[in-house]
Amino acid sequence: MSATTKKENQRIPNLVIIWLDPTCNDHNEFKRYYFNNPLVEPESWLYFDNHEHCADYIKGSPRKKIFLIVTGRFGEEMIPELHNLIQLHSVYIYCKNITKNKQWSLNFDKITDVYNDPIKLLVQFQNDIVEYGLRFQKILRINDDDNDPKVNHFSQPNKNWCPWKSNSCTKNLTLKGQGTIEIIQLMPVPFELLLTNTENSNSNDNDDFFGILLIVNDQKVTISKIINDETTLLQESIDDDGVLDTQSNGEEIPYNIYWFSLDSNNLFVKYGTGEIRHHCRVIECYFNENDQKNLKQIKYMHIKLNNNINLNELKYLQSKIKVYIGTEPVVDDPPLLILSETQFTTVEDIVNPRGIPASVLAEPCRILYSYISNFKLNNDDFPQFINAIEQSIQNSNGLCYKKLHEKANRFGKPNLKATYLRITLGKNIGNAPGIPYVLEVWPAGHYSPIHNHGNSYGIIRILYNEILISLYQSLNIKNQKPFIKRLLHENESTWMLPKLNQTHQVSNVSDRCCITLQCYQYGKEDTKHYEYFDYINNDGKSINHFNPISDMDYMEFRDAIKREWTEKSMETL
């Protein structure tokens, strides 16, 4: 591939840079620079000296992503009308009177800042274009669902940021005043996150400094508010669930997750560990309305590791710390049930939904659900299939009875109750941990160990009776308390994503057997394909790896159960 072709492949489609200023010639310098920028097409640069013509172009370009440099006078007149257009990505006010234009610009989140220095404007503009280009290329490379407005990501951060690669401990938030930050640690490291309204993290250097400071170490967690040089402690916690986990890292627990979420609209910050969801919060701080204006101006994140911001000295942590940033705050917990669109018929279904439609789930879940949503066990060929399975469980000579007893020590210390049958449908085609479609048979009173699912997507459908699903923050020997328990009934379905609903325990608390259909699939973004389900051993003291092998093929199982049923029926004649 030629250098020219490589350069063209890097360019961002539909990107438009607009300079609107009838009196300034600085746009020529900018234009000259961007003709040599590999991310920008030469045709992407537009110049306007008439604000009405410029506004008409922006309103008539819904498929573009527009970066607008505009004077203070034109900006104050145009931005209120254009601000909410999806095609307007960022606005830069270039003027002489910073103080005057700062006042009105604070009301519009897409305005990055007000500038009177062309060098500062160029540097910020350049950084934003590069960041957008990298984000766009990553979206194309990793997850097509990120561009699908129908898909609900349930507040999961999906943009990786590496301080070492950016050579900075400071990062712009994508949206002012809201977002969620996830820190994944492969070794325990005390850390601080400071969210501020200024790029400079030193409150002593700013007259209008506002910040929210999270400090996490092995003793406690604190959240504080900083206004100029005054720091106010909001909340602290010494609970084991929230402090830095210094004991469980290693071979058994490959990582720990800590997260911090900001929501200026609902006036809160939340800190949690494990899965990023409302139920896994450890600290929740609410602010009064007097703080809302300051919260909405927060646009920078500063990270400190081991009380240090010298990235050269912290180089040894580069492979041990992963940071992800998302635009959505953690507000509520997502419903566990999947409902059909026809079940959303009232305002209550929208405001306080019992479930979610499959159409808003990520593509792997949508595909899996479409395959199993109408699956039936009993049919005209074998209408007694379910009764025959129950009989096989109860009969000491039955296939199910024997296989369950063979598996009594499958998860460590012998325990018949901690067994179930895995009847697989189809073959292992390499897109899931084991064979992707599994019929699971749960005798009365039986349960699984606490386990996860290899960061796969998944759907669970209840084919017969009911099952209790217990969800956990993470697979952690120190914390085996579920944060949600939900009884799922016949014909109901639930879902899992790589970072949501991943760790659970399944229990049959009824007096009859339960039969479920489970299916799994790796996402496009998964380049590791972890082949195991990890579980907490029956003794509750260790974590082991479970190879999700089959107890029997579905057609073989069905034929064997049918023969048993027929033979048993003949005996009663």
Side-chain angles (χ1 to χ4, degrees), residues 273-275 277 279-280 333-337 448-453 460 467-476 479-488 494-497 499-507:
T273 61
E275 290 197 352
R277 60 195 306 155
H279 270 103
C280 293
D333 236 47
L336 296 181
L337 286 182
S448 74
I450 301 171
H451 63 285
N452 61 25
H453 297 84
I460 302 173
I467 202 81
L468 181 69
I469 303 288
S470 302
L471 296 179
Y472 298 80
Q473 283 180 278
S474 61
L475 196 67
N476 192 328
N479 183 3
Q480 299 182 38
K481 298 177 296 184
F483 62 84
I484 291 178
K485 288 188 175 184
R486 178 66 184 265
L487 191 64
L488 299 182
T494 188
W495 53 277
M496 68 178 67
L497 303 181
K499 292 184 178 181
L500 272 180
N501 304 335
Q502 266 290 306
T503 304
H504 71 202
Q505 183 178 48
V506 180
S507 309

Side-chain angles (χ1 to χ4, degrees), residues 142-143 145-146 151-158 182 184 254-255 257 274-277 324 334 361-366 368 431-433 451-459 471-475 495-504 519-530 532-534:
I142 293 181
N143 194 345
D145 277 340
D146 283 355
V151 173
N152 192 330
H153 298 286
F154 304 105
S155 306
Q156 301 303 297
N158 58 352
E182 174 187 28
I184 302 175
Y255 57 82
I257 295 175
E275 290 197 352
I276 301 173
R277 60 195 306 155
Y324 290 86
L361 292 173
E363 182 183 39
C365 285
R366 297 198 303 269
L368 294 172
N431 69 341
H451 63 285
N452 61 25
H453 297 84
N455 292 325
S456 62
Y457 295 84
I459 298 291
L471 296 179
Y472 298 80
Q473 283 180 278
S474 61
L475 196 67
W495 53 277
M496 68 178 67
L497 303 181
K499 292 184 178 181
L500 272 180
N501 304 335
Q502 266 290 306
T503 304
H504 71 202
C519 48
Y520 309 99
Q521 183 176 318
Y522 297 123
K524 295 177 183 178
E525 71 278 9
D526 189 340
T527 58
K528 294 183 178 180
H529 284 202
Y530 186 69
Y532 302 99
F533 293 167
D534 295 338

Side-chain angles (χ1 to χ4, degrees), residues 188 244-256 258 474-478 543:
L244 189 74
D245 188 347
T246 60
Q247 300 178 20
S248 64
N249 288 83
E251 291 185 2
E252 291 187 339
I253 300 290
Y255 57 82
N256 284 302
Y258 307 88
S474 61
L475 196 67
N476 192 328
I477 294 171
K478 295 196 308 179
I543 292 177

Side-chain angles (χ1 to χ4, degrees), residues 407-419:
K407 297 180 65 175
N409 62 351
R410 178 63 186 84
F411 299 111
K413 181 181 178 181
N415 183 352
L416 182 61
K417 291 292 186 181
T419 60

